[in-house]
Amino acid sequence: MLNDDIYALAKRLFPICRSITGDGVRETLRILQEIVPQMTIHEVPSGTEVFDWTVPKEWNIKDAYIEDLDGNRIISHKDSNLHVVGYSLPIDAVVTRDELLKMVYTQPDQPDVIPYVTSYYKERSGFCMSENQKNTLDKEQYRVCIESEIKDGSLNYGEILIPGKSKEEIFLSTYICHPSLANNELSGPCVAIYLAKWLLEQPRRYSYRIVFVPETIGSITYLSRNLDEMKSNIIAGFNISCVGDDRAYSYIASRYGDTLSDRVAKNVLSSHAPDYITYSYLERGSDERQYNAPGVDLPVCTICRSKYGEYPEYHTSADNLDIISPQGLGGAFDVYCKCIRALEENYNYKINCLCEPQLGKRGLYPSISQKGQYDEVKTMMDFIAYADGTNDMIAISEIIEVPVEELIDIAKKLKDSGLLEVSEHLC
Amino acid sequence: MLNDDIYALAKRLFPICRSITGDGVRETLRILQEIVPQMTIHEVPSGTEVFDWTVPKEWNIKDAYIEDLDGNRIISHKDSNLHVVGYSLPIDAVVTRDELLKMVYTQPDQPDVIPYVTSYYKERSGFCMSENQKNTLDKEQYRVCIESEIKDGSLNYGEILIPGKSKEEIFLSTYICHPSLANNELSGPCVAIYLAKWLLEQPRRYSYRIVFVPETIGSITYLSRNLDEMKSNIIAGFNISCVGDDRAYSYIASRYGDTLSDRVAKNVLSSHAPDYITYSYLERGSDERQYNAPGVDLPVCTICRSKYGEYPEYHTSADNLDIISPQGLGGAFDVYCKCIRALEENYNYKINCLCEPQLGKRGLYPSISQKGQYDEVKTMMDFIAYADGTNDMIAISEIIEVPVEELIDIAKKLKDSGLLEVSEHLC
Amino acid sequence: MLNDDIYALAKRLFPICRSITGDGVRETLRILQEIVPQMTIHEVPSGTEVFDWTVPKEWNIKDAYIEDLDGNRIISHKDSNLHVVGYSLPIDAVVTRDELLKMVYTQPDQPDVIPYVTSYYKERSGFCMSENQKNTLDKEQYRVCIESEIKDGSLNYGEILIPGKSKEEIFLSTYICHPSLANNELSGPCVAIYLAKWLLEQPRRYSYRIVFVPETIGSITYLSRNLDEMKSNIIAGFNISCVGDDRAYSYIASRYGDTLSDRVAKNVLSSHAPDYITYSYLERGSDERQYNAPGVDLPVCTICRSKYGEYPEYHTSADNLDIISPQGLGGAFDVYCKCIRALEENYNYKINCLCEPQLGKRGLYPSISQKGQYDEVKTMMDFIAYADGTNDMIAISEIIEVPVEELIDIAKKLKDSGLLEVSEHLC
C-alpha cells in the first residue's frame, strides 16, 4: 500500500516539466509538501554566488515544436518535454534542413528513444528526437519554435528538518530537476518524501535533514548556505537517486568508502540484498560529488536500485513509468529504513560482568547440555563476546555475521537483564 | 615412549566418572599429581560466588540402572558412566514406558551411540542410551534407579606454577570434568601434565601457570581468584583441548586473532602442519570463552587435533580410547613444545653493524663466489636484513618464511660472533 | 638514437677487464667521464676500514693461460677475461691434470659456457672454462700461468652530484666491477651515465646523486663516507642493474616495499609495463642489500629488465653483447625517466574551492550535457576529487587509476586556472 502510494506520486509528478529552476520545480515541491507539510520551500535569487558557481537565470517554457511549412507537426513539447534541450533560448524561425539538423540531438546507438539533453551554462536552442525520426526529415525547410523565457528569477529547493534527541543529524538528499524521467529521477524525491513522513512517526535518537534540490547547482547552493552546520552535525548521509526499478541494488561508495554511511549501507545490503553491486567513488555522478568534495567532506554515500549510467533507458525517454514499479520503489524505501534503524541503534555496547554471564539463571540459556542444543544462544553469546566497548552495533554485526536487525532484539534482552552498558560513542 | 606414557595415562583415567565436581575430579587430580608432584589441589566451597556465577553443590554417584520389572537390567552405570545425565538427582521408582521415555536422551542421527548429556543448573534425573536401544523398550513399566547425591561440598582444581627468570607467564589451561570421553576430554589433561613435567626439566625464561579445571565454572572460578595477577603477567596462553586423535591439526583464534599466542600458533602450525584448519573465535566452545571474555582479555588461543564439535564421535560414547592414539597425543605435545620454545626465544634482535656484516672473515660465508653458492647463507642474510629492532623472532620468521626452529641456531651463531644485540622487547 | 648510443657505449666498455679494484675500473670510469665530465673519480686506499669491512688490495692482471707441455694454449685470458677467477694470485707452474682440475671452475648444468667466478677475500689461483672444454683435458701435465699482481693500491668509484632547487636528493647507484658481462653488468653504468646526461639538461626540483661503484665493497665504502648526508637528503633511490635485455621488466622491492621509490616504481611499471615481475626483498642480490640494511635504511628499490639470477645467461660468458640490445637498454632508460619525472611532479595537490569547481566557465567542461559526453573530463574531475591535501600525485594516480604522465597535464591546467594549491609535502 505504501509502495503503491510512492508509485502513485511518481505518476502524478511525471508529466511536469522540471529543470534546475522554474515553475516545474515549484509545482513539484508544492505537491511534495502536500505529503509532508513540514517541508519549507526556499528561494535563492538568480545571480547569487554559491562557492565557485552562480545561480543561473530562471528558465520556463510554454510550448515548442518543429513543423514543416505545411503546418504538420514533426515533434511537439506537448508530447514529451524531452523534445527540447533544457534551458533552450526562445526561437521562432524557418530554417533549412541542414540548419535544423545542427539543432537536433539524438542517441544514434538507441535509435528509438529521445535523449535527455540540457545546456544550462551555454546559450543555445536545441531539440531532441529519436534517431529514427531524424532520419525521416526530408523537407527542404522547417519551422522551429520554442516559446521559452530565460530571466532573473530564483532557484528553489525544499528542506525538511526533523528534530531528534540529539542534534547529530542523518542527512538525506535527492533532486528535483529532471523532467519526465522516472528512475533517474522521480524515484528519489518520491521515496525521500515518504521516508520523511515515516521518520516523523518514529521515535528518533538523531535529527534528520532531508533536502530536495536541483542537482549540482542546488546541492552547491544548499551547501553554501549550510556547510558549517552540516559539518558539525551530520554523522551519516545518503544521496537518494535511481531507487525505482527492481533489477538491482547498487551501492556507490563515498570518497574513501570508509564512513559510517558506507558501513551501514554495506551491512544492510549484505544481508538484505547480498547480490548488490558495488561501485567505487570513481563511478559517482550525482550530488554525492558535492557532498564528498574536498573541504566539504560529508559522510555521504548512495544506495540505488539500477544506478544512473548503468541501465539502457538512462537519460532517455525510455526511462519512463514502465521501468519503475511499486515493488522497486518500496524495496529501496525498505533498505533505507533498515539503514536508518541500524544507525538509530548503533550504540556502543559493553557487557558489564567479567567472564561469560550465566544466561541460564536469567532464562536465556537451555538448561540441558547436549550436542546441537547451543545454536539458539550462539548469536547472543557472540554478541556478548564482542560487546567489549570497542565495537559499535554495526561492527559487531560485521564480526559475528548476523544482521543488525537480529542484534537489536538481543541487545534489548541483555539490557533488560542488566548485563549491558550502552553508551553513545566508543570508549 | 613419551607418546606411550601419555596414552597409558589416558587409559588409566578413562573409566573414572568425572563431572564438574565430586570424587572423580579429585581422584583424577591425585593421579595427575603422581606425575607432577608440584601440582597443588584447590578446593572452593559450594555456594561461593564467582563473578556472575555460583559454585554449585557437589555431585556424586554410586550406581544407576534401568531394569524391567523382572529385574533384567536394560542399562547400567557400571557399563558406561555416560548412561546417566550429569548432575542427575537420585531416584528409585517404577515408571511407565511413557514416563521413562521422557527421562531418556538419545542421539537419533547417530543411533548406535550413547550421547553425553549434563544438566548442571536445572534439577532433573535423566538417562542416556543409544537410539537403537531406546527402540527396544517395549515393556509397560520399568524400574529406574539413580543412587546419586547432591550436597554442599566443593569444586576442585589443580594448579602448577613453574617459576622462570621472568615473572611474565605462559599460561596453559585444560579441563578435567568430562567422564569417559577420550579426545574431548582426557587428551587435554594428559598432554598438559606431560608438558608440565617437560617444562620442569627445561631452562626457562618465562614462568608457567598450568591449570586443570572443570570447564566453564572451573575457569571462571580460577579467574575470579587470580585475574589481576594473570592480567599482569600472562603474555601468551593456550587452552589445551581435543589433542588426542591424529586426523587433523586445528587452530582456534583468540577474540581478535592477533595476540602473541595466535602469532606463535600460526607460525608453528604453518611449518609443522601446513594443512592445519583455522577456526575463527566464532567457532570457540571451550574455556577460551572465559579467558577471552571482555574485561578478562587474556591472550589465549587453542591448538587442537580434531576440534570439539567437528568430529562425529564428539560428546558420545564413540569418543573412546580407540579414536585417540600415542601418535595423536604425541603430535599435539610436540606442537605445544615448539610453540613454547619459539616463545622462549622470541626476543627482539638487532644487528649491530651498518651495512651487511662481512660474514666471510667470521667463517660464515663461502670464500668463492659463483652462481648457486649463496644458498647456504641466504637464511642468515635474510635474518640479518630484518633484525632491525622492529621485529621479534616470530615476525622475522613470518617475513623470511623460515621456521623459528631454524632461526634459533642462526641467531645463536650471530650472537656468538658479536653481531647481534638481543633485547626483551621491541625498541 | 639515444638507444644506439647506450648500446655503443656498452660495446666499447665490454672488453675491459674490470674487477672490484684495478686498472679496468679506472679505465671504465674515464670513459664514462667522457660522456658526463661532471663526474668526479674517487680513490680509497687499500686497508681503509669501511664499517665491518676493509678495502682490499688492488688486483691487476696482464695475462693468463693454460697450455699443454707442447705449448698449445688450452685457454687464454686474451680470449675471455672470464677464464681467470677474479683476484687470482699469480702462478707459473707445471701441474698434473688432477692438480689442474682442482683449480678449474665450470658450470656443469650449462656445459657450453664459462662461468664468472671470483675469490675476493680468500687467496687462491683459479681458472674457469666450459664443462665441455674441461672434459677434453686428457694430458698428464699442463702449464698454468697467471700474470697478476695483488698489492696495496686503491678502490675507485665515480660520483655525479647534480644540484636541484631542493637539497633533497634522488639517488641512483650502479656498479662497475663486472668484467665482460653485458646485462649484469654493463647495462647499469651505461644507462645510468645517460640518465645523468639527460638530468643535466632538465629543470630539476630535486638534486641527484649518481654513483658508479664496485658492488658490495664499493657501496659500503661509499656509504661509510656519506651516510649521514645521504640519510638526511635522499627521498628516493634506485639500484640500477640488469637493464639491458628486452625479455622482461622486473621490480625488486625495498626492505619493506613501502618507500616512495617502491610507490613510483610500481606506479610507472603498472602503466608502462603491466606484465612486470615483482620480486620481494628476499630475492635481492645487489647493492640494494647495503642501501636497505638496518641502520642504513635508505629508500632504495630496483627496476630491472631480466633480473640477475633469473635468466640463464646470468654470470656466464653467455651474458654477452648479444643478449642486450638498444631497445632493451632504451626501455629501461625510459622507465627510469618516467619514474624521475613522476617524482619531480609528486607534489601535494589541493583544490582550493569548495564543492566541484565550475569547469565550464573556464572552458574545461563540455557545454552540452548528454549521456556519454562526460568522458573527456572524467579524469580531471577524479583528480580534483582526490586533490584534497592528503594525497600526493602518485597516490592520486593509484586511486583513480590514471598514469602520472596524464595527470601532470591536468594538474598544470588546473593550476593555470588558479584552482589548485601545490605544496611540497602532505598537509
Side-chain angles (χ1 to χ4, degrees):
Chain A
M1 212 179 74
L2 173 66
N3 297 357
D4 293 330
D5 291 346
I6 306 175
Y7 187 81
L9 175 62
K11 203 166 167 183
R12 180 172 171 201
L13 293 172
F14 188 78
I16 300 170
C17 181
R18 279 168 293 273
S19 181
I20 55 174
T21 60
D23 296 331
V25 174
R26 279 185 290 269
E27 188 185 347
T28 300
L29 289 171
R30 271 192 302 271
I31 292 170
L32 295 172
Q33 210 176 27
E34 290 176 18
I35 296 162
V36 177
Q38 290 88 338
M39 179 195 280
T40 54
I41 298 176
H42 299 254
E43 294 217 350
V44 184
S46 301
T48 304
E49 301 217 344
V50 290
F51 295 138
D52 194 48
W53 301 63
T54 306
V55 172
K57 296 195 173 192
E58 182 174 323
W59 182 70
N60 284 294
I61 183 166
K62 276 199 211 134
D63 198 4
Y65 52 84
I66 302 172
E67 29 176 66
D68 63 24
L69 298 193
D70 299 327
N72 298 311
R73 295 256 159 137
I74 311 299
I75 58 169
S76 166
H77 188 254
K78 290 190 170 49
D79 296 331
S80 167
N81 51 41
L82 298 183
H83 274 315
V84 178
V85 168
Y87 264 66
S88 277
L89 295 181
I91 191 171
D92 189 351
V94 171
V95 296
T96 65
R97 186 174 168 278
D98 280 356
E99 287 169 330
L100 174 60
L101 290 183
K102 285 184 189 141
M103 303 172 71
V104 165
Y105 298 86
T106 67
Q107 193 73 32
D109 56 337
Q110 291 172 278
D112 294 326
V113 303
I114 312 165
Y116 167 50
V117 181
T118 64
S119 180
Y120 301 137
Y121 298 98
K122 169 146 188 213
E123 298 192 341
R124 73 180 92 202
S125 301
F127 293 92
C128 301
M129 62 178 68
S130 72
E131 178 73 10
N132 290 340
Q133 189 163 23
K134 178 180 162 189
N135 291 337
T136 66
L137 297 174
D138 54 3
K139 302 283 164 58
E140 294 291 304
Q141 290 189 305
Y142 290 91
R143 185 177 166 215
V144 295
C145 174
I146 300 178
E147 288 181 61
S148 66
E149 188 180 37
I150 301 197
K151 56 161 194 197
D152 280 335
S154 62
L155 173 151
N156 297 92
Y157 64 84
E159 181 189 48
I160 304 172
L161 299 175
I162 307 178
K165 291 200 187 90
S166 163
K167 67 188 273 278
E168 289 184 319
E169 294 179 1
I170 294 172
F171 175 57
L172 306 177
S173 177
T174 190
Y175 43 100
I176 46 161
C177 55
H178 283 60
S180 300
L181 296 163
N183 191 46
N184 174 234
E185 190 65 78
L186 263 175
S187 63
C190 294
V191 166
I193 198 72
Y194 277 97
L195 282 170
K197 188 171 149 69
W198 172 77
L199 279 164
L200 283 160
E201 296 157 2
Q202 306 301 311
R204 290 178 303 276
R205 171 187 180 189
Y206 290 116
S207 298
Y208 288 80
R209 180 186 297 265
I210 307 170
V211 301
F212 301 78
V213 295
E215 202 179 4
T216 306
I217 186 65
S219 51
I220 292 170
T221 300
Y222 189 82
L223 283 165
S224 77
R225 296 174 141 211
N226 297 283
L227 182 60
D228 289 347
E229 197 182 334
M230 293 169 81
K231 288 186 76 159
S232 295
N233 294 347
I234 290 172
I235 60 145
F238 302 93
N239 183 54
I240 303 182
S241 169
C242 297
V243 288
D245 76 337
D246 56 13
R247 291 174 287 191
Y249 281 99
S250 309
Y251 151 72
I252 309 165
S254 72
R255 188 155 102 243
Y256 291 104
D258 60 354
T259 71
L260 179 56
S261 312
D262 295 277
R263 292 175 60 221
V264 75
K266 288 187 280 187
N267 183 289
V268 166
L269 287 169
S270 293
S271 58
H272 185 80
D275 294 334
Y276 78 96
I277 304 163
T278 295
Y279 295 98
S280 92
Y281 187 64
L282 298 180
E283 296 164 283
R284 73 198 177 284
S286 175
D287 279 337
E288 68 275 3
R289 290 153 45 199
Q290 311 312 325
Y291 300 129
N292 281 281
V296 177
D297 299 328
L298 292 171
V300 172
C301 72
T302 294
I303 299 171
C304 306
R305 302 299 308 250
S306 290
K307 177 186 167 287
Y308 46 78
E310 300 289 336
Y311 60 96
E313 302 88 352
Y314 168 72
H315 270 202
T316 74
S317 55
D319 189 350
N320 58 35
L321 291 167
D322 293 341
I323 73 154
I324 66 169
S325 67
Q327 293 70 26
L329 294 155
F333 178 90
D334 200 32
V335 164
Y336 275 111
C337 285
K338 284 177 196 288
C339 287
I340 288 168
R341 270 197 295 253
L343 288 168
E344 288 273 333
E345 297 291 337
N346 193 41
Y347 292 97
N348 173 29
Y349 295 93
K350 189 172 177 184
I351 203 76
N352 64 11
C353 77
L354 287 166
C355 292
E356 290 183 339
Q358 201 202 348
L359 297 179
K361 70 184 183 192
R362 298 177 176 88
L364 299 172
Y365 201 82
S367 64
I368 189 97
S369 165
Q370 181 179 356
K371 189 156 71 152
Q373 293 299 305
Y374 298 99
D375 299 357
E376 66 193 61
V377 289
K378 181 172 187 333
T379 300
M380 184 176 284
M381 298 304 280
D382 285 349
F383 181 90
I384 289 169
Y386 289 96
D388 59 9
T390 71
N391 298 308
D392 61 14
M393 175 74 95
I394 296 169
I396 297 176
S397 165
E398 298 297 335
I399 295 171
I400 75 173
E401 298 175 353
V402 175
V404 167
E405 284 177 298
E406 287 184 40
L407 298 185
I408 291 172
D409 277 354
I410 286 172
K412 192 175 175 318
K413 277 187 198 169
L414 289 171
K415 212 173 117 188
D416 292 349
S417 297
L419 284 169
L420 208 57
E421 283 170 31
V422 180
S423 59
E424 282 290 314
H425 297 289
L426 294 186
C427 52
Chain B
M1 211 182 75
L2 173 66
N3 297 358
D4 293 331
D5 290 346
I6 305 175
Y7 186 81
L9 175 62
K11 202 165 168 184
R12 180 174 170 198
L13 292 172
F14 189 77
I16 300 170
C17 182
R18 278 166 294 273
S19 180
I20 53 175
T21 60
D23 295 332
V25 174
R26 279 186 289 269
E27 187 185 348
T28 299
L29 290 171
R30 270 192 303 270
I31 291 170
L32 295 171
Q33 210 176 27
E34 290 176 17
I35 296 162
V36 178
Q38 291 88 338
M39 178 195 278
T40 54
I41 299 176
H42 299 255
E43 294 216 351
V44 184
S46 301
T48 305
E49 302 217 342
V50 289
F51 296 139
D52 194 47
W53 299 63
T54 306
V55 172
K57 296 195 176 190
E58 183 176 322
W59 182 68
N60 284 293
I61 182 166
K62 276 197 212 135
D63 198 5
Y65 52 85
I66 303 172
E67 26 175 69
D68 63 23
L69 298 194
D70 300 328
N72 298 312
R73 294 255 159 139
I74 310 299
I75 58 170
S76 166
H77 188 254
K78 290 188 170 50
D79 296 331
S80 167
N81 51 41
L82 299 183
H83 274 314
V84 178
V85 168
Y87 264 66
S88 278
L89 294 181
I91 189 171
D92 188 352
V94 172
V95 297
T96 64
R97 186 174 168 277
D98 281 357
E99 286 168 331
L100 174 61
L101 290 183
K102 284 182 190 143
M103 302 171 71
V104 165
Y105 297 86
T106 67
Q107 194 72 32
D109 56 337
Q110 291 172 276
D112 294 327
V113 303
I114 311 165
Y116 167 51
V117 180
T118 64
S119 180
Y120 301 136
Y121 298 99
K122 171 148 185 210
E123 297 192 341
R124 72 181 91 205
S125 301
F127 294 92
C128 300
M129 61 178 70
S130 73
E131 178 73 10
N132 290 340
Q133 189 163 24
K134 179 181 163 188
N135 291 335
T136 66
L137 297 173
D138 55 2
K139 302 280 163 61
E140 293 292 303
Q141 289 187 306
Y142 289 92
R143 182 171 169 221
V144 295
C145 174
I146 300 178
E147 289 182 59
S148 66
E149 188 180 36
I150 301 195
K151 55 159 195 200
D152 281 336
S154 62
L155 174 151
N156 297 93
Y157 64 82
E159 181 188 48
I160 304 172
L161 298 175
I162 306 179
K165 291 200 187 88
S166 163
K167 67 189 272 280
E168 289 184 320
E169 294 179 3
I170 295 172
F171 175 56
L172 306 177
S173 177
T174 190
Y175 43 101
I176 47 160
C177 54
H178 283 61
S180 300
L181 296 163
N183 191 48
N184 175 234
E185 191 66 77
L186 264 175
S187 61
C190 294
V191 166
I193 199 72
Y194 276 98
L195 282 170
K197 187 171 149 70
W198 173 77
L199 279 163
L200 283 160
E201 295 157 2
Q202 306 300 311
R204 291 178 302 275
R205 170 187 180 189
Y206 290 117
S207 298
Y208 288 80
R209 180 186 297 263
I210 307 169
V211 301
F212 300 78
V213 296
E215 203 179 3
T216 306
I217 187 65
S219 51
I220 292 170
T221 299
Y222 190 82
L223 284 165
S224 76
R225 297 175 141 211
N226 297 283
L227 182 60
D228 289 347
E229 197 182 333
M230 292 169 82
K231 289 186 76 160
S232 295
N233 294 346
I234 290 172
I235 60 144
F238 301 94
N239 183 53
I240 304 182
S241 169
C242 296
V243 288
D245 76 338
D246 55 12
R247 291 175 287 191
Y249 281 99
S250 310
Y251 150 72
I252 309 165
S254 72
R255 187 154 104 242
Y256 290 104
D258 59 354
T259 71
L260 179 56
S261 312
D262 294 277
R263 291 176 61 221
V264 76
K266 288 187 279 188
N267 184 289
V268 166
L269 287 169
S270 293
S271 57
H272 186 79
D275 295 334
Y276 76 97
I277 304 163
T278 295
Y279 295 98
S280 92
Y281 188 64
L282 298 180
E283 296 164 282
R284 72 197 177 284
S286 176
D287 279 337
E288 68 275 4
R289 289 153 47 200
Q290 311 313 325
Y291 300 128
N292 281 281
V296 176
D297 299 328
L298 292 172
V300 172
C301 73
T302 294
I303 298 171
C304 306
R305 302 299 308 248
S306 292
K307 177 186 167 286
Y308 45 78
E310 301 289 336
Y311 59 96
E313 302 88 352
Y314 168 71
H315 270 203
T316 74
S317 55
D319 189 350
N320 58 36
L321 292 167
D322 292 341
I323 74 154
I324 66 170
S325 67
Q327 293 71 27
L329 294 156
F333 179 90
D334 199 32
V335 165
Y336 276 111
C337 285
K338 283 177 196 289
C339 289
I340 288 167
R341 269 196 296 252
L343 288 168
E344 288 273 333
E345 296 292 336
N346 193 42
Y347 293 96
N348 173 29
Y349 296 93
K350 190 172 177 185
I351 203 77
N352 62 12
C353 76
L354 287 165
C355 292
E356 291 183 340
Q358 202 201 347
L359 297 180
K361 69 185 182 192
R362 298 179 176 87
L364 299 172
Y365 202 82
S367 64
I368 191 97
S369 164
Q370 181 179 356
K371 189 155 72 151
Q373 293 299 305
Y374 298 98
D375 299 356
E376 64 193 61
V377 287
K378 182 172 187 330
T379 299
M380 185 176 281
M381 299 304 280
D382 287 348
F383 180 90
I384 290 168
Y386 290 96
D388 60 9
T390 71
N391 298 307
D392 61 15
M393 175 74 93
I394 296 169
I396 297 176
S397 165
E398 299 296 335
I399 295 170
I400 74 173
E401 298 174 353
V402 175
V404 167
E405 284 177 298
E406 288 184 40
L407 297 185
I408 291 172
D409 276 354
I410 286 172
K412 191 172 176 320
K413 277 187 195 166
L414 290 170
K415 214 173 115 188
D416 291 349
S417 297
L419 286 168
L420 208 57
E421 283 170 30
V422 180
S423 60
E424 283 288 315
H425 297 289
L426 295 185
C427 52
Chain C
M1 213 181 77
L2 172 66
N3 296 359
D4 293 330
D5 290 346
I6 306 176
Y7 186 81
L9 175 62
K11 202 164 166 184
R12 181 173 170 200
L13 293 172
F14 189 78
I16 299 171
C17 181
R18 278 167 293 273
S19 181
I20 54 174
T21 61
D23 296 331
V25 174
R26 278 185 290 269
E27 188 186 346
T28 300
L29 290 171
R30 271 192 301 271
I31 292 170
L32 295 172
Q33 210 176 27
E34 290 176 18
I35 297 162
V36 177
Q38 290 88 337
M39 178 195 279
T40 53
I41 299 177
H42 298 254
E43 294 217 350
V44 184
S46 301
T48 305
E49 302 217 343
V50 290
F51 295 138
D52 194 47
W53 300 63
T54 306
V55 173
K57 296 195 175 191
E58 182 175 325
W59 182 68
N60 284 292
I61 182 166
K62 275 196 212 136
D63 198 6
Y65 53 83
I66 303 173
E67 32 177 59
D68 63 22
L69 297 193
D70 300 328
N72 298 311
R73 294 256 158 138
I74 311 300
I75 57 169
S76 166
H77 188 253
K78 291 189 170 53
D79 296 330
S80 166
N81 51 42
L82 298 184
H83 274 314
V84 177
V85 169
Y87 264 66
S88 277
L89 294 181
I91 189 170
D92 189 352
V94 172
V95 297
T96 65
R97 187 175 168 278
D98 280 358
E99 286 169 331
L100 174 61
L101 291 182
K102 284 182 191 141
M103 303 173 70
V104 165
Y105 297 86
T106 67
Q107 194 72 32
D109 56 337
Q110 291 172 279
D112 294 327
V113 305
I114 311 165
Y116 168 49
V117 180
T118 64
S119 179
Y120 301 137
Y121 298 99
K122 169 147 186 212
E123 298 193 340
R124 73 180 93 203
S125 301
F127 294 92
C128 300
M129 62 178 70
S130 73
E131 178 73 9
N132 291 340
Q133 191 164 22
K134 178 181 162 189
N135 292 337
T136 66
L137 297 173
D138 55 3
K139 303 280 163 63
E140 294 292 304
Q141 289 188 305
Y142 290 92
R143 182 171 169 222
V144 295
C145 173
I146 300 177
E147 289 182 59
S148 66
E149 187 180 37
I150 302 195
K151 54 161 194 196
D152 281 334
S154 63
L155 174 151
N156 297 92
Y157 64 83
E159 180 189 48
I160 304 172
L161 297 175
I162 307 178
K165 292 200 187 89
S166 163
K167 66 188 273 279
E168 290 184 319
E169 294 179 2
I170 294 172
F171 174 57
L172 306 177
S173 177
T174 190
Y175 44 100
I176 47 162
C177 55
H178 283 61
S180 300
L181 296 163
N183 192 46
N184 174 233
E185 192 66 74
L186 263 176
S187 62
C190 294
V191 167
I193 199 72
Y194 277 97
L195 283 170
K197 187 171 148 72
W198 172 78
L199 279 164
L200 283 161
E201 296 157 3
Q202 306 300 311
R204 290 179 303 275
R205 171 188 181 190
Y206 290 117
S207 299
Y208 288 80
R209 180 187 297 265
I210 307 170
V211 301
F212 301 78
V213 294
E215 202 179 3
T216 305
I217 186 66
S219 51
I220 292 170
T221 299
Y222 189 82
L223 284 166
S224 77
R225 298 175 138 209
N226 298 282
L227 182 60
D228 288 348
E229 197 182 333
M230 293 170 81
K231 289 187 75 159
S232 295
N233 294 347
I234 290 171
I235 60 145
F238 302 94
N239 183 54
I240 304 182
S241 169
C242 296
V243 288
D245 75 339
D246 55 13
R247 291 174 287 191
Y249 281 99
S250 310
Y251 151 72
I252 309 166
S254 72
R255 187 156 104 242
Y256 291 105
D258 59 355
T259 71
L260 179 55
S261 312
D262 295 276
R263 292 176 59 221
V264 75
K266 288 187 280 187
N267 184 289
V268 166
L269 287 169
S270 293
S271 57
H272 185 80
D275 294 334
Y276 78 96
I277 304 163
T278 295
Y279 295 98
S280 92
Y281 187 63
L282 298 180
E283 296 164 283
R284 72 198 178 284
S286 175
D287 279 337
E288 68 276 4
R289 290 153 46 199
Q290 311 313 326
Y291 300 130
N292 281 280
V296 176
D297 299 327
L298 292 171
V300 172
C301 73
T302 294
I303 299 171
C304 307
R305 302 301 307 252
S306 289
K307 177 186 167 286
Y308 46 78
E310 301 289 336
Y311 59 97
E313 302 87 351
Y314 168 72
H315 270 201
T316 75
S317 55
D319 188 351
N320 58 36
L321 292 167
D322 292 341
I323 74 153
I324 66 171
S325 67
Q327 293 71 26
L329 294 156
F333 178 89
D334 200 32
V335 165
Y336 275 111
C337 286
K338 283 176 196 290
C339 288
I340 287 168
R341 269 197 296 253
L343 287 168
E344 287 273 332
E345 297 292 336
N346 192 42
Y347 292 97
N348 173 29
Y349 296 93
K350 189 172 178 185
I351 203 77
N352 63 12
C353 76
L354 287 166
C355 292
E356 290 184 340
Q358 200 201 348
L359 297 180
K361 69 185 183 191
R362 299 178 175 88
L364 299 172
Y365 202 83
S367 64
I368 189 95
S369 165
Q370 181 179 355
K371 188 155 71 151
Q373 293 299 304
Y374 299 99
D375 298 356
E376 64 193 60
V377 289
K378 181 172 188 330
T379 299
M380 184 176 283
M381 300 303 281
D382 285 349
F383 180 91
I384 290 168
Y386 289 96
D388 59 9
T390 71
N391 298 308
D392 61 15
M393 175 73 95
I394 296 169
I396 296 177
S397 165
E398 299 295 335
I399 294 171
I400 74 174
E401 297 173 355
V402 175
V404 166
E405 284 177 298
E406 287 183 41
L407 298 185
I408 291 172
D409 277 354
I410 286 172
K412 190 173 177 321
K413 277 187 197 168
L414 290 171
K415 213 174 117 188
D416 292 349
S417 297
L419 285 168
L420 207 57
E421 283 170 31
V422 180
S423 59
E424 283 289 313
H425 297 289
L426 295 185
C427 53

